[in-house]
Amino acid sequence: MVDYTTTSGYVTDAKGRRQFIDRNDGLDIQGTYLVAKDRNQDRNSLLGPVVASGQIPDADNDDQLTIAIQALGSIPLWSQSVADAIKGYPLGTVVRDATPKYWRSTADKNLTTPGADGSEWVDFLSDATTQDWANKQFLPLVGGNVTGAMDWGSKTVASTVTHRFWSAGPPAEGDAAPDATLTIAGGTPGTANKGTMALSTGVFDLSETGQVLVPSILIFGGKDALNALTAEGRYVKSVPVAPNKRITDIWENADGRLVFGDGTTAPILACLSDLPLDPGQQIQTFVVSGDNSGIVTTKFPVAFKAGTVPRVLLRINNEPNSNAWTRVAHIALDANYNEVIDNTGFTWAATYFTSNSAGNSAVQFTLTVMAIGERQ
């Protein structure tokens, strides 16, 4: 412990310190005794930091105390002379250079220069807060891109996660309503995450490059990226006109029938296989009229398969004399008593009946035809 001298002959100066004084016989001044304790204390106090800094005491070197102060000071300026004097900086020593930049020694007895190629110094903050580390941990307040995975919400408890977005700045008064609010909610603890994402916004504009994932029009098991305008053009519109209902569901059941509904009922459309027709056959039904039902050749609206003879069913109205005379339409016969029918049409005539007479009908008519045959 360093203290002011207490030996015989000391004097006290204006600051109250006990000081040495020279002997002066002419003035009858004793002087202060020099004792071993005072001298050893001075020497030990000076040599303590020199030894602590790693130097070897040298009676011919007056700079050792200065070097010791530099070596042991708080973040000292790096010095080659200090490094040489203490036989290299210890592992973990922090120094600064003239820029100033702080360096940390990665080796014991480090004599290299910070920043030089192959040096055993690293940037003091290299293992602490770096720009790359900060970019991965925090969102910038002045814009920029966010990259990498980010987790929102708790992974251990159920909760609602809400994000709000503003773009217009502060309002004239009151609190600013957000442009959009994204809310994730509805998860159930202990189950797979199947919550609901709700976007509340004034206008959700996808008219430019925006896209939403919608089911493929061909593969409903996957999703294609389509903009809203394209999706609108690819799917059937369902706009109800009172008292009709909007179609909300449409699918094919196991029997191959079309099923659709409005959420409360599910009507089923019939298939062609429900009709008593062989595959490849068709039914044509139409009405013809004329002034004379004597002998008439009528063509089918669409010709049947060439070389085939369809089946033809006829129904004609009664003769136009107050519908008092019944008449029937029948297919005309050729010389061999075969019906005159081919794939393009047929020839027919009408006969009337009364209570006491019958004969050919040659007046105005309306004829309903049903023909069944092989399609062209």
Side-chain angles (χ1 to χ4, degrees):
M1 185 72 180
V2 179
D3 194 5
Y4 300 111
T5 182
T6 59
T7 57
S8 176
Y10 71 82
V11 295
T12 303
D13 65 9
K15 296 181 179 180
R17 298 174 297 184
R18 299 184 298 275
Q19 301 291 296
F20 289 92
I21 191 173
D22 294 330
R23 176 179 175 179
N24 190 328
D25 294 334
L27 298 176
D28 196 22
I29 298 174
Q30 170 189 316
T32 308
Y33 286 96
L34 295 178
V35 296
K37 179 179 180 181
D38 285 339
R39 296 303 309 275
N40 291 335
Q41 192 175 62
D42 294 341
R43 186 68 58 180
N44 292 340
S45 298
L46 293 173
L47 286 173
V50 172
V51 174
S53 68
Q55 300 179 79
I56 297 175
D58 183 356
D60 296 325
N61 187 350
D62 293 340
D63 296 327
Q64 284 192 300
L65 181 60
T66 301
I67 293 173
I69 293 173
Q70 291 179 334
L72 299 175
S74 176
I75 310 183
L77 181 67
W78 178 86
S79 168
Q80 188 65 61
S81 61
V82 172
D84 293 338
I86 62 176
K87 303 298 188 293
Y89 287 95
L91 174 68
T93 299
V94 178
V95 298
R96 58 185 173 86
D97 60 21
T99 55
K101 186 174 183 179
Y102 296 94
W103 301 89
R104 177 171 52 83
S105 175
T106 60
D108 200 15
K109 299 180 179 180
N110 189 354
L111 293 170
T112 61
T113 303
D117 291 340
S119 73
E120 294 176 314
W121 298 89
V122 295
D123 188 329
F124 175 68
L125 299 176
S126 62
D127 295 332
T129 304
T130 64
Q131 186 63 50
D132 180 66
W133 177 87
N135 290 341
K136 294 177 180 178
Q137 300 296 320
F138 303 100
L139 291 176
L141 296 178
V142 292
N145 295 325
V146 179
T147 60
M150 298 183 67
D151 295 330
W152 300 92
S154 172
K155 293 183 179 180
T156 58
V157 296
S159 62
T160 297
V161 180
T162 302
H163 298 280
R164 290 180 289 273
F165 305 89
W166 290 266
S167 66
E173 60 182 13
D175 193 11
D179 296 305
T181 300
L182 182 64
T183 304
I184 314 295
T188 302
T191 65
N193 288 304
K194 295 181 179 180
T196 299
M197 182 176 70
L199 178 63
S200 172
T201 179
V203 176
F204 190 50
D205 186 3
L206 294 176
S207 61
E208 298 296 331
T209 58
Q211 293 183 336
V212 291
L213 296 179
V214 299
S216 167
I217 196 169
L218 299 176
I219 306 174
F220 280 87
K223 292 182 177 180
D224 291 338
L226 298 178
N227 62 62
L229 186 60
T230 301
E232 174 73 9
R234 288 179 62 175
Y235 290 89
V236 177
K237 298 179 178 65
S238 176
V239 181
V241 178
N244 299 331
K245 298 179 179 179
R246 181 183 298 277
I247 296 174
T248 58
D249 308 284
I250 184 169
W251 68 93
E252 180 183 357
N253 67 7
D255 297 331
R257 290 171 169 79
L258 183 65
V259 183
F260 62 93
D262 62 355
T264 58
T265 60
I268 300 176
L269 298 184
C271 290
L272 290 177
S273 59
D274 296 332
L275 300 176
L277 290 174
D278 294 332
Q281 287 196 328
Q282 67 176 347
I283 298 175
Q284 296 187 44
T285 177
F286 57 96
V287 176
V288 294
S289 60
D291 295 329
N292 191 328
S293 59
I295 297 295
V296 183
T297 297
T298 299
K299 295 297 183 180
F300 298 122
V302 179
F304 289 94
K305 183 178 180 180
T308 65
V309 178
R311 295 186 297 275
V312 178
L313 304 176
L314 306 176
R315 182 187 182 284
I316 194 171
N317 64 321
N318 290 341
E319 284 203 351
N321 53 356
S322 302
N323 288 327
W325 292 6
T326 300
R327 63 178 168 178
V328 294
H330 50 84
I331 302 297
L333 301 178
D334 63 14
N336 295 318
Y337 302 101
N338 296 315
E339 292 183 330
V340 183
I341 306 174
D342 62 19
N343 67 302
T344 63
F346 58 95
T347 301
W348 62 280
T351 300
Y352 74 89
F353 296 91
T354 68
S355 60
N356 53 14
S357 65
N360 292 333
S361 175
V363 294
Q364 293 178 344
F365 68 89
T366 299
L367 180 72
T368 301
V369 182
M370 176 181 288
I372 304 173
E374 294 185 55
R375 69 178 67 250
Q376 188 68 274

